[in-house]
Amino acid sequence: QVQLVESGGGSVQPGGSLRLSCAASGSIFSINAMGWYRQAPGKQRELVARITSDGSTHYADSVKGRFPISRANAKNTVYLQMNSLKPEDTTVYYCNANIVPEPLRREDDWGKGTRVTASS
């Protein structure tokens, strides 16, 4: 009933920028949090950045100061501004949302992923 649609991935040179977008739609009463995850080869999936309903943010140490996360609440959309991209940032990024579809219920939803490549 809830869908997350990601966009903004692509290929850039190291040092370049991309902005990822994730729009949630469907049966949504409220959204507790939205964020971005990635999984690099040989590593577990990790949180990149997350923003909660009160505006609090959390970042992976590797992206602090480079990847600010923001919201457009009226559109149920979250953005990840990816600056100073490094080759090690290359992977697929997945949008995640913790959603209250109706009162007293919550669920985690995932997007299909958008690929980010930073290489010369």
Side-chain angles (χ1 to χ4, degrees), residues 4-81:
L4 303 178
V5 179
E6 302 129 321
S7 62
S11 181
V12 297
Q13 294 184 351
S17 297
L18 291 169
R19 189 173 77 155
L20 305 184
S21 300
C22 176
S25 62
S27 299
I28 300 173
F29 180 75
S30 64
I31 298 177
N32 292 325
M34 297 185 73
W36 292 91
Y37 290 73
R38 68 186 182 187
Q39 187 169 16
K43 294 184 177 181
Q44 296 181 343
R45 180 172 294 191
E46 67 169 349
L47 173 69
V48 178
R50 189 172 187 259
I51 186 165
T52 61
S53 60
D54 66 354
S56 298
T57 57
H58 184 265
Y59 297 94
D61 288 341
S62 60
V63 308
K64 285 182 179 178
R66 293 195 296 133
F67 291 3
I69 190 168
S70 61
R71 303 174 302 175
N73 290 337
K75 298 180 179 180
N76 290 329
T77 299
V78 65
Y79 303 98
L80 185 69
Q81 180 64 48

